[in-house]
Amino acid sequence: MCDPKDPDYQIEELRVQIEYHNYNYHALDSPEITDAEFDRLFAELQRLEALHPHLIVSGSPTQRVGSAPLKKFQEVTHTVPMLSLENAFTDADLAKFDHDICTELKLSKVAYTGEPKLDGLAVSIRYENGDLVQASTRGDGTTGEDITQNVRTIRTVPLRLFGNDWPAVLEVRGEIFMRKKAFNTLNTLIIAQGGKPLANPRNAAAGSLRQLDPTVTAQRPLSFICYGLGIVEEPQEPLPTNHQELIYYLINWGLPISSELSYLKDLEACRAYYQDIGMLRDSLDYPIDGVVFKVNSFAHQAKLGFRSHNPRWAIAYKFPPEEQLTRIEAIEFQVGRTGAITPVAKLRPIQVGGVTVSNATLHNIDEVTRKDIRVGDLVSIYRAGDVIPKIGQVHLEHRPKFSEVTKLPDLCPICGSKILKPEGEAVARCTGGLYCPAQRKETIRHFASRPAMDIEGLGDKLIEQLVAKKLVTAPSELYSLELSQLVNLERMGAKSAANLLTALERSKTTTLARFIYALGIRDVGETTAQALTQQFHDLNSLMHASNEALQNVEGVGLVVAEHIVTFFQQLHNREEITRLLQAGLQWSSTNVPKKIPNMHLEGKIFVLTGTLSRPRSQIKAALEARGAKVSGSVSAKTDYLVAGADSGSKLTKAKALGTKILDESALDLLLKEAQN
Ligand code: IVH
């Protein structure tokens, strides 16, 4: 019946061999054959499958990356919810956990299993009759996302279970993560390609899993470790009766499990395990942030049951955040895409939690001043959970003798324009708006946007290409683009290139207000641009206006006036304006818009709170232009509270007083109405 010459037989034989070697290599880290031999087996399977395409099945090792990119992830409902774990941070927390369990079970001691708590993402993988049919994220515990195509690309995830004694339906639960070495290599590659490095292995794993295109995930070095079960239907053999036994089942089915898993006979053994793994933590190649203890016996687990979000029979005992000492070798000032200047500490490279750290953000100059952080300082670097490395303590006793106070530079390190830091604002900014390469993409995007020059067809992707290929380094250069340059760009046909040129030509006839807005002066929104136009009528007067004169304009306070004056003071910006005018941008003095006639919000008192998407000064200007007042605190006189994310006491107070509360979209609506 089984003729070894049969392609069916040969193909099946090769698949079993390949999966076996795959498992040895990826899950056990102990290959039995050379890479070349493995490649030969794989190539042979590919050859046979190509000859007999009807024999290809989705479980074949050649089919790990099989499908086209998705538009979006589908939802998956977890019949057995994916719960989280209660945390313990101290020995006392752990003792209480054990004490409660012993009391509930009326036992003097209870046996547990200990496993490292992997720092990755929980996943549920469903096998039907031994074949992987679905993989999903945890989501909110009840509904997750279908990431089957991506999980199939992970080498340690079997596409087909080993043996044949598995239940007809078997859901396994585990963690997908990125090994530290793989993470560091990936980041080196990203940096070499000019990309932004990933913050930590956990983010790297999450980002890799959430790719709609499985070919991208396939290139990311992800791993999987299995630690439990979800739904199980129609078992063929009696199911295991404890966690330790379950692990043997999982191993036999070819599922990777943690090599550090231990049986722990009581609380004392748990304590020792926590210490042991803590010592091993740095040398392990996978990121962990604690250990997980589970009551070993399933009968005991069933008796203990669940709370709303976590089982009573398990706990995660977390490690304290890791800290390391290193020196600050330099402090650089980076320029963001909106011109924000961020101080960054360049560190003597150091391993923290297994990840090489050589940079730490210092957020803003005020923070640097407050902590008095200087070049040469010895500092503690820590990573807590999934956050980016931070500077903790500055060890002043080790400060070099002649260290200097860190100062905000006067000029932008990228373009040499003046840096401005308005009173009371934490963020300093480069004023080289139109000129600064760091702000190029953002400047052009803003310039082309609908309320500005309204250049149809000039979207983000196109801007990215134009900037990357250095076809456009400033907005004025948009107007010298040629058809031959455009047609060579990705996703650009002759027709859309011609349309873009027409749109560029059309945009040249504009209004002064649009032009002023398009310049992207900090805090000068559409309303302020209009108000400026009404006051100054022509560009030249605006460019020479004094700070005081500007403050007479509705919505322009001290800070905005300073932004305007400094913007026009920069030679680069003036030169760019000249180039724009030379390119043919024009407006007639007759289309200066009328003053906003309606003061619908006259006398109304607004308070702003929480995180808002635009600078407060901008919202304030828009409100004041419509006759409203903006106050700093909520009282019975307040008419509206504009509440962004994370609003705190002001929101509570406004609620108590019955003040009308607006979110940003409600505010926009109100502003729009007040303008008509
Ligand atoms: S057991 C019903 N074991 O930790 C509880 N979880 O905070 C199921 N995790 O969402 C979890 N390593 O992503 C378990 N050895 C391990 C784990 C582990 C990491 C994660 C898992 C879970 C989270 C809970």
Side-chain angles (χ1 to χ4, degrees):
M1 210 173 77
C2 291
D3 182 352
K5 285 214 185 80
D6 258 2
D8 294 40
Y9 180 85
Q10 287 182 338
I11 283 178
E12 191 48 36
E13 189 67 4
L14 277 167
R15 285 178 185 155
V16 170
Q17 279 189 41
I18 288 170
E19 283 301 356
Y20 171 76
H21 293 302
N22 222 351
Y23 178 78
N24 284 336
Y25 184 92
H26 291 287
L28 303 183
D29 217 2
S30 76
E32 287 179 5
I33 58 172
T34 63
D35 288 2
E37 279 169 298
F38 181 86
D39 291 345
R40 199 188 52 71
L41 290 174
F42 199 85
E44 179 60 9
L45 176 61
Q46 277 179 322
R47 191 185 68 82
L48 287 176
E49 284 184 343
L51 285 176
H52 309 281
H54 63 285
L55 296 177
I56 300 178
V57 291
S58 71
S60 170
T62 59
Q63 304 300 305
R64 283 201 179 263
V65 190
S67 64
L70 299 172
K71 290 236 157 38
K72 66 184 217 10
F73 296 110
Q74 298 297 319
E75 282 188 354
V76 175
T77 309
H78 303 301
T79 322
V80 176
M82 292 180 76
L83 301 176
S84 56
L85 293 170
E86 192 192 347
N87 287 326
F89 297 100
T90 61
D91 186 54
D93 293 345
L94 181 68
K96 180 172 185 313
F97 166 75
D98 177 64
H99 178 263
D100 290 351
I101 285 175
C102 290
T103 313
E104 180 72 25
L105 296 175
K106 300 193 180 69
L107 293 169
S108 61
K109 63 177 196 169
V110 171
Y112 299 92
T113 52
E115 309 160 30
K117 183 171 189 303
L118 294 151
D119 201 5
L121 290 108
V123 66
S124 181
I125 307 181
R126 184 180 172 95
Y127 290 90
E128 286 178 12
N129 301 316
D131 286 320
L132 187 159
V133 294
Q134 189 174 61
S136 47
T137 61
R138 174 166 179 263
D140 62 5
T142 318
T143 312
E145 282 177 326
D146 187 331
I147 49 164
T148 313
Q149 300 310 334
N150 291 343
V151 170
R152 285 175 57 91
T153 68
I154 302 170
R155 306 272 153 190
T156 40
V157 174
L159 295 178
R160 184 167 174 78
L161 296 176
F162 292 6
N164 50 18
D165 57 347
W166 12 258
V169 175
L170 177 74
E171 248 174 36
V172 296
R173 302 270 162 93
E175 198 86 350
I176 287 180
F177 59 96
M178 198 176 279
R179 290 184 182 276
K180 294 178 194 168
K181 224 187 269 145
F183 169 78
N184 282 327
T185 314
L186 178 66
N187 253 355
T188 312
L189 194 77
I190 290 177
I191 294 166
Q193 291 170 347
K196 196 169 159 241
L198 300 156
N200 54 52
R202 191 176 183 281
N203 284 5
S208 306
L209 265 191
R210 295 212 78 262
Q211 296 291 333
L212 289 167
D213 182 354
T215 55
V216 177
T217 312
Q219 288 157 15
R220 296 289 177 87
L222 293 173
S223 299
F224 170 64
I225 275 183
C226 182
Y227 51 63
L229 295 181
I231 203 163
V232 177
E233 285 171 16
E234 299 174 44
Q236 305 179 45
E237 306 276 325
L239 285 174
T241 60
N242 61 53
H243 193 70
Q244 201 188 11
E245 211 184 310
L246 167 67
I247 296 301
Y248 292 118
Y249 279 60
L250 296 175
I251 293 174
N252 284 331
W253 291 330
L255 291 155
I257 55 109
S258 168
S259 50
E260 307 309 322
L261 191 128
S262 266
Y263 171 83
L264 305 165
K265 66 179 178 26
D266 57 9
L267 173 66
E268 238 4 86
C270 290
R271 287 196 175 114
Y273 182 80
Y274 176 78
Q275 296 299 335
D276 290 350
I277 299 290
M279 308 249 262
L280 269 183
R281 184 180 185 190
D282 261 354
S283 62
L284 293 175
D285 188 33
Y286 43 87
I288 65 173
D289 58 352
V291 293
V292 178
F293 296 119
K294 297 172 186 166
V295 169
N296 190 36
S297 150
F298 287 164
H300 286 162
Q301 287 189 6
K303 211 163 182 184
L304 290 160
F306 298 86
R307 293 184 206 88
S308 61
H309 294 296
N310 37 48
R312 282 180 215 276
W313 42 263
I315 198 157
Y317 190 2
K318 296 295 217 45
F319 292 133
E322 249 200 296
E323 265 195 32
Q324 295 291 348
L325 289 177
T326 192
R327 290 260 175 209
I328 299 184
E329 293 187 327
I331 294 181
E332 282 181 3
F333 288 84
Q334 292 183 349
V335 191
R337 64 186 183 96
T338 60
I341 309 281
T342 310
V344 176
K346 297 280 158 183
L347 307 168
R348 184 169 301 162
I350 188 153
Q351 292 272 319
V352 190
V355 172
T356 313
V357 175
S358 40
N359 296 313
T361 171
L362 299 170
H363 302 290
N364 57 54
I365 189 72
D366 285 355
E367 173 148 331
V368 177
T369 311
R370 191 167 43 78
K371 291 191 178 165
D372 187 19
I373 300 175
R374 303 182 187 191
V375 173
D377 277 349
L378 185 73
V379 288
S380 300
I381 303 293
Y382 69 96
R383 293 177 61 232
D386 57 1
V387 292
I388 307 169
K390 284 216 168 84
I391 292 195
Q393 223 181 321
V394 180
H395 300 275
L396 294 175
E397 67 282 15
H398 296 287
R399 172 166 280 173
K401 256 197 190 136
F402 299 106
S403 74
E404 285 178 26
V405 174
T406 307
K407 286 210 191 86
L408 181 70
D410 293 330
L411 303 179
C412 168
I414 304 283
C415 76
S417 301
K418 199 169 155 195
I419 289 177
L420 196 66
K421 182 173 175 296
E423 272 291 315
E425 279 188 30
V427 180
R429 283 177 203 275
C430 161
T431 52
L434 292 176
Y435 173 77
C436 183
Q439 299 171 63
R440 230 165 244 171
K441 265 189 245 166
E442 187 58 23
T443 306
I444 296 170
R445 194 197 57 72
H446 174 81
F447 183 84
S449 67
R450 187 161 299 164
M453 303 308 291
D454 193 15
I455 306 172
E456 213 177 304
L458 189 56
D460 288 359
K461 287 260 148 45
L462 187 54
I463 294 174
E464 223 148 80
Q465 290 191 65
L466 291 172
V467 170
K469 297 207 156 80
K470 298 225 166 61
L471 292 174
V472 175
T473 62
S476 60
E477 291 173 19
L478 287 168
Y479 293 102
S480 35
L481 282 171
E482 286 172 13
L483 196 70
S484 58
Q485 294 172 312
L486 291 174
V487 288
N488 283 331
L489 300 175
E490 259 170 56
R491 276 185 284 180
M492 184 54 103
K495 185 143 179 257
S496 32
N499 285 346
L500 179 62
L501 291 182
T502 316
L504 278 162
E505 205 48 45
R506 203 179 316 126
S507 75
K508 286 183 182 171
T509 309
T510 182
T511 66
L512 177 58
R514 275 178 178 273
F515 182 76
I516 294 171
Y517 173 68
L519 295 177
I521 306 169
R522 187 96 209 135
D523 289 353
V524 176
E526 289 167 74
T527 318
T528 308
Q530 281 183 9
L532 288 168
T533 312
Q534 283 144 25
Q535 186 86 8
F536 294 99
H537 304 293
D538 65 79
L539 183 61
N540 208 25
S541 325
L542 173 65
M543 287 175 71
H544 293 95
S546 68
N547 193 305
E548 295 72 40
L550 285 164
Q551 286 191 55
N552 284 332
V553 177
E554 269 171 16
V556 179
L558 186 78
V559 172
V560 183
E562 200 175 345
H563 280 309
I564 299 172
V565 170
T566 327
F567 181 90
F568 289 121
Q569 268 172 2
Q570 308 303 307
L571 181 62
H572 318 305
N573 291 342
R574 291 206 304 274
E575 284 175 348
E576 175 63 3
I577 291 173
T578 308
R579 281 190 292 268
L580 284 165
L581 298 177
Q582 279 167 352
L585 259 63
Q586 51 173 326
W587 50 87
S588 61
S589 47
T590 51
N591 63 13
V592 171
K594 285 217 200 75
K595 191 169 153 63
I596 301 171
N598 208 327
M599 299 289 267
H600 259 151
L601 300 176
E602 185 78 62
K604 295 275 187 249
I605 299 178
F606 283 73
V607 173
L608 312 178
T609 189
T611 313
L612 299 160
S613 68
R614 335 167 239 187
R616 295 210 174 169
S617 50
Q618 199 175 322
I619 301 179
K620 187 167 179 260
L623 286 167
E624 287 173 353
R626 290 161 179 78
K629 288 206 177 66
V630 177
S631 150
S633 55
V634 176
S635 74
K637 287 197 196 131
T638 313
D639 294 292
Y640 295 97
L641 178 77
V642 180
D646 302 325
S647 298
S649 60
K650 287 186 190 164
L651 180 60
T652 322
K653 189 162 176 198
K655 279 186 182 158
L657 289 170
T659 312
K660 284 195 201 96
I661 295 162
L662 305 175
D663 61 11
E664 267 194 271
S665 50
L667 172 72
D668 287 339
L669 213 65
L670 200 70
L671 288 174
K672 226 173 171 180
E673 278 172 6
Q675 201 162 351
N676 294 330

